[in-house]
Structure formats: C-alpha cells, structure tokens
Amino acid sequence: MKADMHPRLTTPLALLPLSRGLALAGLALSLGAHAADEAKPAADVVTLEPVSVSAQSGAYRKEKNTASAVAPTQASLTATQPQSVITREFIEQSVAPTAEYSRIVAIAPSVSGDSANGPGLSETKTTLRGFGDDQYNITFDGIPWGDTNNPAHHSTSFFPGAVIGGAVVERGPGNASNLGFATFGGSLNLFSKQAGKEAGGSLFTSFGRWNTRLLGVALESGELARFHKATVQLNVQRLESDGYLTKNSIASNNVTLKVDMPLSSQHTLTGFMSVNRIHYVQPDNNKGPTLAQVAQYGKNYSLNDDPTSFNYTGFNHTGKATDFEYLRLRSRWSASFSTEAQVYTYSYDNQTISSTDPTGATAPGTKAGPKGNTDIPGIDKQNKYRVMGGIFRVENQFEAGTLRAGVWTESSDTDRHQYDLDLTLGVRDPRETKPAPVQYPSVLFDQQSRISSFQPYAEFEWEPLAGTSITPGIKYVDMTRSVSALVNQTTRLPQNASVSYGKTLPFLTLNQRFGHDLAAYAQYAKGFQIPDLKSFYIADPTKNSADPQTSTNYQLGIVGKNPALTWDADIYRIDFKNKYVSNGLGGTAAAYVNVGGAVYKGVEGQATWMVGGGFAAYANASVNKAIAQDTGKTISGAPNMTAALGALYNQGPWGASLIWKRTGSSYQQDYDASNPGAYERYRTAATTNTDLSLSYRFTNVGFGAQALKLQLNVFNLMNKQDVTSISPAKNPTFDQYTFQAPRSYQVSAKAEF
C-alpha cells in the first residue's frame, strides 16, 4: 500500500495546468514577436488550412442562405465514409448551454445516449451504431483521447459545449490517417472554436430547473497586427446544479485558452490549453434505483440525508481534475509540400469516496468493525493518469494525386487504487486538504500501468480521372501494455507483466463526383481495438492471445447538395472478429482468448430542406442490427433504429428550432430470438425526446454591448420518463434502472461587446 493514501488537489497544484497554459500563450506570442523581425509584412501572412485530417476540412464549411448553412447534420461531397458534420451555429441555437459533446452529437443518425441527471449534468455513455463508448474514438483537434484502462470517455470531464466549435461524427475507421485506439466503431471528432477577426467578447449566463446556473465570459483578441495577425481566445465558466437525481449536485469550473500565431507566411503555431475541475455528489455505482426504490421514492431516487444509509450524501462524492494541452506547428514549404507537427499532453485525476451498495442488496457491516456491526462499508477509489504524445504528418501533392504519411506516438502512465473504508468512522471530501480519520481493512487493488504506442501510416489519394478519387492506405499498430501492481485487481496478488500487440491495417476508399452537386463513395477498411486492461487481471497475462479485436468495414453511400436540399444515405456492414473473452479457467491456466465476434449492419440517411422564408425542415433515420457470430444473439445495448425530425427558423433577430429524436428498443442482455420470453424483462422500449429552442437578438442595446441574445430552451418537451437502461444483478430484485430526466428548461442571456 502506498504511504500517501489520500492524494489531494491543493490550490497550488490545481493551478499548475493553468500556469502552464499561460506560459504556453506567452511563449507563442514571444516566438511570434521574434519571428516578426525577419518575416514578411503582416499583409502577406496567410492562414494555413489543417493538414490531412479529412474531418477538419468539413467541420466549418457552409454556404450562406442554403440548406447547408442551416443543416443540423450533413455530409461533405468529399466524404469517403458516412459522416455527420455539426456546426457551431446548431450548437448555440439548439443544444443546452450546460451540455458537453454527448448532447451535441446525439442529433446524428445511429447515435444515442442522454444524461439521467439533466442536460450536461452527469456523464453520458453514447452508443454509435450499437458500439459502446469504449469501441469508438473521440478526438479533439485531431488528437485521440480517452481512458487508459480501456478507451472509454468521461463526457463532462474535459470540454464544455461553450469551447466546442463543431463536430464531425464519422461512422467508420476512415482512412489510414485516422488515429485512435478503437477505430472500428468510428470517431466523434470535436474541434475548438475558430477565432474571430475582430476583437470582442461576450458575457453569458443561463438559469434553469433543478437550481441549474451557468456563468461565463468569452474573450477574443481579434487579429493582432503586431503579431502577424495572431489571435487569442479565452473562455472561463462556472456551472452548478442540484441535478434531477436526488442530492446529485455538480459544480464545475473550466478555463480554456487558445492562441494562433503566424510565425511567417509559411508557418503557423497554435497553442491550446483547457483546465477542468468538477465535484460531484453521487454514488460510484450510479446505474439507477431498483424497482422497489422507485416505488418508494420515485424514478429520481439516488441519495439521501440518512447517515445510517448506504445512500447518505456524505458518503458519496467525487472530485475530478483534468487538463488538456497541445502545441501544433503547421508549415507550407512549397506549393505542393506541407507538414504538421503536434505535441500534446492530457491528464485525468478521479478521487472518489463511495459506499459499496446503493441497492440495499447487502446489509450494513464492515470488515474493520466487530462482528454484527452496522457501520457502512465504502471505498476510496483513484484513477489517475497522464498521457503524452506526438503526431507528425506530411502531405505532398503530385500530378496524379496526393501522398499523405505520418506517425502517431503516445505513452501513458496510470495509477489506480481501490481501498476498503469504514465510512461510519469518518471520511474525507476529495476537495479537502486534510484527511479525516479512516480505516483500511484491505486493499482491493493498488496498481500502476503503462501503454506505449507507435503507429505509422501512409495513404495516396489517386485521381485517375477528373472527379474520381481513389485512396489506398496502410497503417501499422505497435503497442505494449505493462502492469506493475503491489496488489493486482481481481487476483489481489503482486503483478509485473508486459504484453505487446501488433497489427497491419489496410484501407481503400473511393469518392466519385457527378457534377458539382452529387457524389458517391465506397469504403473497405480494417479497424481495431486495444485489449482492455482487465486482460491483466489474471495470474499470467503472457498467456493471453496477442491478437487485438478487429473489424472489416464495407460501406457505400451517396451525397447530394444544392441550395434548397442537402441529403445523403448509406449502407454498411461491419464484421467484428477476435472478440476478447476469458477462457473461464482459474489459477495459472486463466487467459483471455479470441472467439467469434459480431456482425453490425444497417442503413442510414439524413436530409435538410430549405423551405424558404427562414424555415427549414430536417430528418434523419437509421436501421441498425448487431448480431453475435458465435451465439447468434442480438448484442446488448444496441438500439435497433434511430430517427429525428426537426423544424428550424432563422431570420432577422429571431431563431427557433423544434427537434424530435427517437432511439429504438434494445436488450440489456444479449438476446436469443429462440427464447424471447427469457429476455423480455431486459428489453427497453423505444424512447423519444423533443427539444424546443426560441431566441431573439437585440442590437444597439447600449451599456457597451453591441448585442444581447435572449434564449429559452425546453428539453424533453413532452415530459417522457421511460427506461433508458437496465443493469442486471445476480438477483433480479436488485436490477437497477435508469430513466429519462423529465421536462426541464434553461433561460439564457448572452451580451456581446
């Protein structure tokens, strides 16, 4: 056991990432000032487009007064796989001001997931074509990020909606240049906001149900002539809410800084920093109440004020500290040759105190107390990691096409532990600097782990004919997982082991243009997923299979665009192989092996029609199916369809949207069609959600403000409260249920100056 069992976030430590970010901004400006002495005049400086990443080129593209300008989601005519581009305009008009990325991308076809505590007020695990949160990538400005035990994500922990400039949902592995540890499910690509050319800023606030309040300021430097038209963006905000679930409060602070610095007409340096601090009052097991608890306390039951209960608020709280930083240098060496070099780091520090059983399945009594004691047992849990990496890309245009190549390298160090507690004897709050007295009867695990990854790639976009683009590519995945544990998880024995994995992944895409407003595409691509850390929770991990889980993707699609209508449709089939499962043996014979897999297939489409007079109509739909190859069962948690309908209005000072989203039924256990009655208990019916937004923008308001925007958002307008997920227990009496949060509202004001 470690000598310091209570790592704490003191104020100086919490400010370290901020000081690094400010130093980063200062460094960028000083480099720009130094380069200005020898560079060309500011008038000659050009803004360079991002290199290589296809999603970046479409993230902000729009045409005024057309269907493309107002579409909630759409695909690009240059797409090589199904995608949904989401703009900042849609985020500001139709998404909750308190939201994070999960609420933003939820509009897209084949995407589902919502917060049980209210919009943006708790973590959301999103599904994509039925793939779970750890089976697809999430990137920010081209950098993949996620947990280090498996590539899952914490939706509220890094980037609030106010700092997200746009998103591209890519449903497939993409080309060889797409990066991440879980490429076979696709990618949610998030982008920071583009800088404005003029200096200005805004004060924004929002108030809503459950005592929800948000206050923030966003500042823009505009183009700074002294520094070659450099720009600086700063966003600072505070979010607080009591939440829909009983006693599940949240308090969150975020500071985000971005600097774009042209060093010359050929080189642009970008620095980005985001620091987040969150405190939750919630149980570590937040999978919802049992049906008995629902009958007694309601669908929103979670915590209470009874210190003799497992669900006492004083026994269940979490503090999270994260930061995310990068430096990116984009260079254009000639008319045909350009490079992009990016270094980054991000960290996640979760300190949780929680009781062990919110369902009532176990009686009070701890290991530390005397026999028959009624003390409340709990855990002290830590998940803390630092990730550092670099991405280098080159692009060269030839007469026949464009060559892209690069390499992604990354390493991470993780420190995880979980200790038993007697909560009745005293417990600390993760925000406190001094620990209260606690007892540690046993160590569940005390583990350090590391991932080292190296992934080179190359692809060539060949243009044999005008309007025809064929892109073959190849990527090699080389990674090593290692664990050094005083007490390993599950076995509770010391562990020192290292396992390496390697895989070559081929890619082939086609995009065919038919005039200026129609294109078709096809994709064949291999994806993969890094083996879960749980594969080390055995006596000898070197006996595990060295083959990672892989997929083969086949996709066809068509995209059409004209001023009145933007639309696209696709069909897909994904063969998922090498499913990683335990061999079921114990002791030294235990191992994780590859068996079977699954087939995911479906049809998707999305369209926006510009009706006229400021009105537009929107629709999307998907039919999805996921079947296990080894058992023939339907994969649990995979909805069988999604659909959305929307009406949008934007003319003059008025803006409005009404968006209805439906998520199909799913089974919470793998479903066997030959015995449907056995699984009906764990079938969740289709759910619907309707959101309404109304806004008005005043100009020339005085008091130094150029404009004032007032907005009303109503979420779950029809007040649906259906079951969204079920967590089965060994005894069905203690199954846990999650429900839709009921109707809520947020009233917002944004003063621009």
Side-chain angles (χ1 to χ4, degrees):
M1 188 182 303
K2 293 188 266 302
D4 181 8
M5 298 179 182
H6 298 286
R8 297 179 296 278
L9 298 175
T10 63
T11 300
L13 179 60
L15 292 177
L16 279 176
L18 177 58
S19 63
R20 286 200 304 267
L22 294 175
L24 179 152
L27 174 63
L29 289 173
S30 63
L31 286 173
H34 178 73
D37 295 335
E38 299 180 2
K40 295 181 181 181
D44 293 336
V45 175
V46 296
T47 300
L48 302 180
E49 293 299 321
V51 175
S52 179
V53 181
S54 61
Q56 289 183 337
S57 65
Y60 306 106
R61 184 174 299 166
K62 59 183 181 179
E63 303 165 12
K64 297 294 184 182
N65 302 315
T66 64
S68 293
V70 299
T73 68
Q74 61 187 300
S76 168
L77 286 168
T78 61
T80 56
Q81 65 179 350
Q83 64 174 200
S84 294
V85 179
I86 302 170
T87 65
R88 179 65 198 173
E89 286 77 9
F90 171 77
I91 296 171
E92 291 190 347
Q93 181 63 49
S94 302
V95 178
T98 55
E100 26 65 41
Y101 72 81
S102 69
R103 191 84 182 187
I104 293 170
V105 301
I107 182 66
S110 292
V111 178
S112 60
D114 203 0
S115 166
N117 202 35
L121 304 180
S122 63
E123 288 189 359
T124 300
K125 295 299 184 183
T126 302
T127 63
L128 177 61
R129 286 180 168 174
F131 287 108
D133 177 75
D134 62 346
Q135 296 178 304
Y136 56 81
N137 293 320
I138 301 182
T139 69
F140 188 86
D141 282 354
I143 298 169
W145 61 275
D147 263 0
T148 52
N149 52 339
N150 63 17
H153 309 89
H154 302 282
S155 64
T156 59
S157 295
F158 283 93
F159 312 109
V163 306
I164 297 175
V168 179
V169 179
E170 290 191 314
R171 299 184 293 275
N175 294 326
S177 54
N178 278 31
L179 305 176
F181 286 134
T183 54
F184 68 64
S187 295
L188 307 182
N189 303 295
L190 312 176
F191 300 92
S192 57
K193 291 197 297 185
Q194 288 187 315
K197 294 184 178 181
E198 303 296 330
S202 63
L203 292 171
F204 55 92
T205 187
S206 181
F207 298 90
R209 193 176 180 186
W210 309 308
N211 200 23
T212 300
R213 56 259 186 220
L214 172 70
L215 179 65
V217 58
L219 301 175
E220 294 264 3
S221 70
E223 294 181 343
L224 301 172
R226 181 182 175 188
F227 299 108
H228 281 187
K229 296 186 178 181
T231 59
V232 180
Q233 299 170 272
L234 177 67
N235 188 91
V236 182
Q237 68 177 59
R238 165 80 173 179
L239 167 65
E240 295 181 61
S241 180
D242 294 340
Y244 163 62
L245 302 175
T246 57
K247 309 294 182 179
N248 275 209
S249 63
I250 178 176
S252 173
N253 297 305
N254 178 266
V255 177
T256 296
L257 177 69
K258 181 181 179 182
V259 179
D260 274 301
M261 167 62 65
L263 304 180
S264 71
S265 59
Q266 290 80 36
H267 308 281
T268 296
L269 180 68
T270 300
F272 179 89
M273 177 275 299
S274 185
V275 178
N276 222 55
R277 298 290 182 265
I278 303 180
H279 182 263
Y280 295 106
V281 179
Q282 63 178 24
D284 187 54
N285 174 353
N286 57 355
K287 298 176 182 178
T290 65
L291 290 180
Q293 290 172 327
V294 170
Q296 186 172 3
Y297 303 111
K299 293 180 177 180
N300 67 331
Y301 178 69
S302 179
L303 298 178
N304 59 41
D305 291 323
D306 179 5
T308 66
S309 166
F310 280 83
N311 297 335
Y312 177 48
T313 55
F315 296 156
N316 296 275
H317 39 82
T318 297
K320 291 187 179 183
T322 67
D323 64 85
F324 188 101
E325 296 90 17
Y326 71 77
L327 279 173
R328 179 178 63 201
L329 178 64
R330 291 173 289 168
S331 301
R332 188 171 298 282
W333 303 95
S334 68
S336 61
F337 183 67
S338 58
T339 62
E340 180 179 298
Q342 193 169 27
V343 292
Y344 64 90
T345 181
Y346 64 90
S347 73
Y348 175 82
D349 185 353
N350 177 337
Q351 304 289 332
T352 292
I353 301 294
S354 179
S355 60
T356 55
D357 183 11
T359 68
T362 57
T366 66
K367 298 177 183 178
K371 186 176 181 180
N373 77 89
T374 58
D375 290 354
I376 302 300
I379 57 169
D380 176 325
K381 186 181 82 170
Q382 171 180 283
N383 182 16
K384 184 177 181 179
Y385 54 79
R386 166 69 64 181
V387 178
M388 302 185 71
I391 303 169
F392 182 70
R393 300 180 175 98
V394 299
E395 180 177 302
N396 195 78
Q397 296 177 354
F398 298 93
E399 185 175 347
T402 302
L403 173 67
R404 303 184 188 95
V407 63
W408 171 43
T409 181
E410 183 180 278
S411 64
S412 63
D413 289 286
T414 303
D415 187 358
R416 301 171 66 242
H417 73 230
Q418 190 165 308
Y419 307 138
D420 282 326
L421 289 177
D422 186 329
L423 295 172
T424 305
L425 297 182
V427 62
R428 70 177 178 89
D429 186 309
R431 295 172 296 181
E432 296 176 355
T433 58
K434 295 182 179 180
V438 292
Q439 299 291 322
Y440 290 93
S442 66
V443 178
L444 297 174
F445 59 87
D446 193 334
Q447 174 197 85
Q448 291 73 48
S449 62
R450 181 179 178 84
I451 301 175
S452 298
S453 176
F454 181 78
Q455 297 188 25
Y457 71 86
E459 61 189 33
F460 186 75
E461 185 177 345
W462 178 42
E463 300 175 11
L465 300 170
T468 301
S469 174
I470 302 173
T471 308
I474 191 168
K475 174 163 56 184
Y476 182 70
V477 177
D478 181 11
M479 66 179 63
T480 300
R481 266 197 184 277
S482 58
V483 168
S484 175
L486 294 173
V487 179
N488 200 30
Q489 193 163 345
T490 304
T491 66
R492 298 200 179 191
L493 298 172
Q495 179 69 274
N496 284 282
S498 178
V499 178
S500 296
Y501 307 90
K503 192 69 178 178
T504 300
L505 304 174
F507 300 80
L508 179 64
T509 62
L510 165 70
N511 180 281
Q512 177 65 58
R513 295 289 293 268
F514 304 98
H516 68 281
D517 59 0
L518 186 66
Y521 59 82
Q523 179 189 57
Y524 163 85
K526 289 279 190 179
F528 89 107
Q529 181 182 19
I530 184 175
D532 197 295
L533 186 61
K534 69 182 181 183
S535 62
F536 281 80
Y537 302 165
I538 58 177
D540 186 4
T542 60
K543 293 184 177 180
N544 291 338
S545 169
D547 281 336
Q549 298 179 130
T550 60
S551 68
T552 304
N553 290 248
Y554 308 91
Q555 308 197 92
L556 294 170
I558 187 168
V559 182
K561 285 183 184 289
N562 61 54
L565 179 68
T566 176
W567 62 276
D568 62 88
D570 68 86
I571 59 173
Y572 69 91
R573 178 187 172 95
I574 304 170
D575 292 329
F576 163 33
K577 298 184 183 302
N578 294 338
K579 184 179 180 182
Y580 219 55
V581 300
S582 170
N583 63 4
L585 302 177
T588 58
Y592 278 80
V593 297
N594 299 117
V595 296
V599 173
Y600 294 73
K601 56 186 177 181
V603 181
E604 302 161 321
Q606 55 193 356
T608 300
W609 174 37
M610 195 71 182
V611 179
F615 287 97
Y618 171 75
N620 75 43
S622 70
V623 177
N624 312 96
K625 195 170 185 179
I627 303 295
Q629 291 177 317
D630 50 340
T631 65
K633 295 181 178 180
T634 299
I635 302 295
S636 63
N640 62 3
M641 58 80 67
T642 68
L645 294 172
L648 305 104
Y649 178 79
N650 196 327
Q651 187 158 297
W654 287 99
S657 69
L658 181 66
I659 296 178
W660 172 88
K661 177 71 184 272
R662 184 174 180 85
T663 299
S665 65
S666 63
Y667 289 90
Q668 306 303 297
Q669 288 185 335
D670 286 2
Y671 168 72
D672 186 351
S674 65
N675 186 19
Y679 298 89
E680 193 60 28
R681 178 186 183 93
Y682 297 108
R683 176 182 177 272
T684 58
T687 60
T688 60
N689 186 75
T690 306
D691 291 345
L692 171 69
S693 171
L694 297 170
S695 67
Y696 188 88
R697 189 172 185 269
F698 299 89
T699 56
N700 302 318
V701 294
F703 304 102
Q706 296 178 356
L708 175 65
K709 180 182 179 182
L710 299 180
Q711 185 164 322
L712 170 66
N713 291 84
V714 182
F715 309 105
N716 192 4
L717 181 67
M718 308 311 293
N719 203 32
K720 298 286 188 178
Q721 280 202 270
D722 296 324
V723 176
T724 57
S725 69
I726 305 170
S727 179
K730 292 181 180 179
N731 181 345
T733 302
F734 300 104
D735 293 343
Q736 293 175 263
Y737 291 74
T738 301
F739 302 87
Q740 292 175 273
R743 182 190 300 120
S744 63
Y745 65 90
Q746 290 179 23
V747 178
S748 307
K750 182 178 181 181
E752 303 170 5
F753 54 86

